[in-house]
Amino acid sequence: MLTDADYPGNASGARRARKRSSGESPGDSQALRSSGRQLNVRVKRTNNPPPGQNKRKATDTEEEDDQSEKKFRKCEKAGCSATYPVCFASASERCAKNGYTSRWYHLSCGEHFCNECFDHYYRSHKDGYETYSSWKKVWTSNGKSEPSLKAFMADQQLPFWVQCTKPDCRKWRQLTKEIQLTASLAATYRCGMKFNNIKSEGPDQCSQPEDLRVAEVTDSWWHSMLILPPLFKESPASPFLAAYYPDCVGMSPSGSPSNVSLTLAELRADHCRAVQPQIPGLCPYFQPFYQPNECGKALCVRPDMMELDELYEFPEFSRDPTMYLALRNLILASWHRNCKEVLTSQKCAPHIVVRGLVRVRCVQEMDRVLHFMTRKGLINTGVLAVKQPLLPEKYHSKNVIVIGAGASGLAAARQLQNFGTQVVVLEARERIGGRVWDDTSLGVIVGRGAQIVNGCVNNPIALMCEQMSIKMHKLGERCDLFQEGGQVTDTAIDKRMDFHFNAILDVVSEWRKDKSQNQDTPLGEKVQEVKKNFLQESGIQFSELEEKVLQFHLSNLEYACGSTLEQVSARSWDHNEFFAQFSGDHTLLNKGYSVLLHKLAEGLNICTNCPVQAIDYSGDIVRVTSSNGSQWTAQKVLVIVPLTLLQKNVIQFNPPLPERKMKAIHSLGAGIIEKIALQFPYRFWDKKIQGADYFGHIPPSPNKRGMFSVFYDMDPQGKQAVLMSVIAGDAVPAVWDMEDKEVVDECMRVLRELFKEQDVPEPQHFFVTHWSKDIWSQMSYSFVKTGGSGEAYDVLAEDLQGKVFFAGEATNRHFPQTVTGAYLSGVREASKMAAV
């Protein structure tokens, strides 16, 4: 029967009463402590029956007298509240139980074992030695910490504690020693439960009082008196962390091995490369933990180390982070195993399988860790719709106004509303999405703005796709370069010029190491200087074709920057590369980004056609005024508008924006690229590109660089005939004054040159973007101008007096220029607003 084991906590009170009745004072007891062992022996000898007499003939009265004469030893651990310890082990026949022992071994306040039980396992001639020895072998082969007897007792002998799941009870009960706690048992346990779960024993087991020791666990000092940190068994994090020593990541070395494709020995022996465990059913893009020897992966945590913001939030775990790591790793693993449902402490707590009262403390701490990780957007994020607030009321801002319904604004609004905050979103356009705008007029979805995900591992876009069961198309690496005239460029030439191109950028990286902002120079000038020096020093001469291929690579660089290289900082053009970036596959969102953003927007209070004109944060509340005179007030306002609108003072701030922020705003550039998409009656390119997702166009001359440099096949499944291309760099202003049909004609001229050996049909439908003329964006994405630095992104992200906050891709130093960066900036600000 699964019953609650009795703890003689009340018995200790009875002992105290007996001592007082016998007339012993604390002073008397203290005076006898040094001779306690002899006294105990003498008492036992007087209890020995005469020769030939059976011990059973000893009367109950004699036993009671003997008990009253025993002397009790306190726990010698300084600060321990257990005046009369009780041995939980009961392993030895001579176990002191609640009586005298020569030494008490302290595991926590309320959990001790006696010297007799210590000897039972520790001495080689005792019965328990083989059990301890076998455990020690397992522990040392899997773990890194000392296999001490205390560790054995905590890992194998302490009883389990479990909480009643009845909402009106929730009392903690100690299980009997023979019962093993499992997640399923913890999730269904009720007071007095039997193994068959039929019904409780006796009247109402929930009416029985809770053990007094449970209340002590809540006190802050209790944790400081814990001798050994908790090490979980059967943690959901175990398969993720098979390459780590379990006790370094909050798990027990004696637990059962993880069910992963690689053996433990293989994972730990591979010191040269990071091996990612293959977990059945897990999205391959979910890699929340660094593996040993792995680094530089975005949104990834070290499972054996606390992050800086975690140390700031939980300073009490700075000395020994084991409990925090065990909880955090369990939570992260559980979330990534099922990201389609809200992760609650009720779902996590049953998976905390650890012996002793420390389980009570772990379950109590679970709420704090879960709320912190939720607020930070590490879990319970994405397109989740919640039925009740995810955070306690103290995190609820009374109301917030979000200005801008792009990826960043919708992310922030969704997070805040899920936290329990009242949110209003004001959008100047008649649609949501901002610079995400998907077109369906060509038979397939083509993004007028973003449509590609650069690096899917741990990318929140991949998370939202998983939540919505949306499949992304993985882009292949093959990109044949076609010359005007129809020739396919030799791959050897392409690889050689790609090498030289990257070598030039490496030299630029070396040059900038000791350069200040004042010594900055345009990236285009620096590239030409490095190239010229290289050719002079090496004596190498690039052929005409090689020069053209180099121009192709430079056009891709201008596409990445969103600007001509003459405006971009040579010192800081790739400032974000100093931070961990998203790795893994590059994918095309066949269904577009809009499907994700519309899901984020569900249930939000969004007011479209509401361009904001002024923000007054001079008082206790913030007043927002739209161009039609409407006003809104809130405790906090989140401003998410494109960089160009801030540069042109489209929104009037009162007080004006600080000089520091204005300087940062103008040190960044507003990059612009344009797109063209063409629908054809059939796929004329299939035979030549042989299933590739895109192909490149070698510019015939430097002044044609950036004009349709890459063509993307927008229906990789091969059903629709749609090509999309990009206009970047100096080619952008060249098309500003052209009619759409003129741009299409120029694009068709290029295509007919690239496929000169065949007939290229006229397009049936097309579109050309005009982001530079879009009144509410006037740009594509930001870049660092010459003389600027990546620090400007951080300055833009700084809030004003804890009332006005800023988000958007131009506030994300780590991931600028991307929908991912915009989304994460919204999550970041939601976290800040909830915490302030």
Side-chain angles (χ1 to χ4, degrees), residues 10 49 69 156 204 229 263 301 320 390 401 524 616 639 695 719 731:
N10 296 331
E69 290 178 6
Q156 296 291 310
D204 180 13
T263 66
V301 299
D320 185 351
L390 296 177
I401 295 172
D616 187 338
V639 179
F695 56 90
K719 297 175 184 177

Side-chain angles (χ1 to χ4, degrees), residues 164-235:
C164 179
T165 56
K166 285 186 181 179
D168 55 348
C169 178
R170 307 297 293 165
K171 291 175 183 173
W172 285 92
R173 305 299 187 189
Q174 179 180 311
L175 301 180
T176 50
K177 280 189 65 175
E178 67 275 9
I179 299 169
Q180 297 293 314
L181 181 65
T182 62
S184 58
L185 172 58
T188 57
Y189 177 81
R190 294 196 170 192
C191 294
M193 178 187 283
K194 294 184 178 181
F195 272 120
N196 54 18
N197 298 343
I198 295 177
K199 68 175 186 178
S200 59
E201 180 185 80
D204 180 13
Q205 295 296 312
C206 289
S207 63
Q208 298 298 316
E210 188 175 62
D211 193 301
L212 296 176
R213 290 174 295 170
V214 174
E216 288 187 340
V217 175
T218 310
D219 293 335
S220 58
W221 59 266
W222 190 92
H223 182 248
S224 66
M225 297 296 292
L226 195 63
I227 292 297
L228 296 167
L231 298 175
F232 295 177
K233 297 187 178 184
E234 308 295 340
S235 171

Side-chain angles (χ1 to χ4, degrees), residues 276-580:
Q276 200 63 227
Q278 301 300 309
I279 302 172
L282 187 75
C283 173
Y285 296 139
F286 291 177
Q287 298 174 19
F289 303 105
Y290 278 120
Q291 296 303 307
N293 307 314
E294 189 178 31
C295 61
K297 197 159 64 176
L299 301 192
C300 209
V301 299
R302 285 277 302 270
D304 57 345
M305 185 179 295
M306 291 178 71
E307 305 279 324
L308 286 176
D309 55 347
E310 293 174 320
L311 287 166
Y312 181 82
E313 188 82 7
F314 301 94
E316 66 272 27
F317 293 113
S318 59
R319 179 172 294 180
D320 185 351
T322 307
M323 181 186 293
Y324 178 83
L325 294 175
L327 292 170
R328 179 250 268 161
N329 295 344
L330 183 154
I331 291 170
L332 263 185
S334 299
W335 165 246
H336 285 92
R337 281 177 173 275
N338 183 10
C339 63
K340 296 183 179 182
E341 297 179 2
V342 174
L343 186 65
T344 63
S345 55
Q346 287 74 24
K347 291 179 181 178
C348 291
H351 295 282
I352 300 176
V353 179
V354 63
R355 292 178 179 272
L357 283 165
V358 73
R359 182 170 188 270
V360 180
R361 183 59 175 252
C362 288
V363 172
Q364 292 169 349
E365 294 288 353
M366 173 67 73
D367 273 339
R368 290 178 61 213
V369 180
L370 196 83
H371 290 153
F372 169 76
M373 296 177 72
T374 297
R375 178 167 61 82
K376 284 289 185 178
L378 300 173
I379 62 169
N380 293 335
T381 187
V383 296
L384 281 187
V386 303
K387 296 179 180 178
Q388 56 187 22
L390 296 177
L391 297 183
E393 192 170 345
K394 68 176 182 176
Y395 290 107
H396 303 176
S397 299
K398 290 184 179 178
N399 66 323
V400 169
I401 295 172
V402 175
I403 300 172
S408 182
L410 295 174
R414 166 57 56 205
Q415 289 287 102
L416 287 167
Q417 184 159 298
N418 284 356
F419 293 168
T421 301
Q422 294 180 1
V423 185
V424 175
V425 183
L426 306 180
E427 169 56 50
R429 292 183 175 89
E430 61 184 10
R431 62 173 179 83
I432 66 168
R435 285 167 276 177
V436 167
W437 185 14
D438 293 334
D439 189 290
T440 58
S441 65
L442 306 182
V444 294
I445 294 174
V446 182
R448 288 176 173 263
Q451 194 171 2
I452 290 174
V453 183
N454 293 311
C456 289
V457 172
N458 296 334
N459 196 310
I461 305 303
L463 169 74
M464 289 188 278
C465 287
E466 181 73 9
Q467 289 173 326
M468 296 182 67
S469 300
I470 293 174
K471 290 186 177 180
M472 298 180 285
H473 173 72
K474 177 183 175 182
L475 293 173
E477 295 182 3
R478 180 182 166 195
C479 180
D480 291 334
L481 302 185
F482 298 160
Q483 305 165 42
E484 293 197 6
Q487 303 93 333
V488 180
T489 305
D490 186 348
T491 55
I493 294 177
D494 181 16
K495 287 180 180 179
R496 182 160 64 250
M497 296 316 297
D498 181 60
F499 170 81
H500 284 301
F501 169 70
N502 285 300
I504 289 171
L505 294 181
D506 288 341
V507 174
V508 174
S509 296
E510 283 296 316
W511 163 84
R512 69 187 177 192
K513 282 184 177 179
D514 59 347
K515 298 297 184 291
S516 66
Q517 283 181 245
N518 295 332
Q519 296 172 297
D520 199 4
T521 189
L523 179 58
E525 287 183 15
K526 199 66 192 174
V527 165
Q528 291 304 317
E529 177 189 323
V530 172
K531 175 193 166 189
K532 181 181 177 181
N533 291 340
F534 166 72
L535 293 178
Q536 287 178 347
E537 293 172 8
S538 66
I540 294 175
Q541 287 297 320
F542 293 152
S543 68
E544 183 181 351
L545 178 56
E546 288 174 333
E547 282 285 359
K548 291 178 180 179
V549 173
L550 180 61
Q551 292 299 317
F552 168 80
H553 288 296
L554 290 173
S555 72
N556 273 342
L557 182 58
E558 290 180 323
Y559 174 28
C561 294
S563 169
T564 65
L565 300 185
E566 300 311 313
Q567 297 183 56
V568 179
S569 164
R571 180 176 172 271
S572 302
W573 71 273
D574 62 344
H575 63 96
N576 59 310
E577 293 296 328
F578 292 101
F579 307 102

Side-chain angles (χ1 to χ4, degrees), residues 105 113-123 149 153:
Y105 291 88
F113 61 96
C114 65
N115 195 59
E116 286 73 15
C117 288
F118 177 94
D119 286 347
H120 175 76
Y121 290 109
Y122 192 74
R123 306 302 175 191
L149 192 76
M153 289 298 214

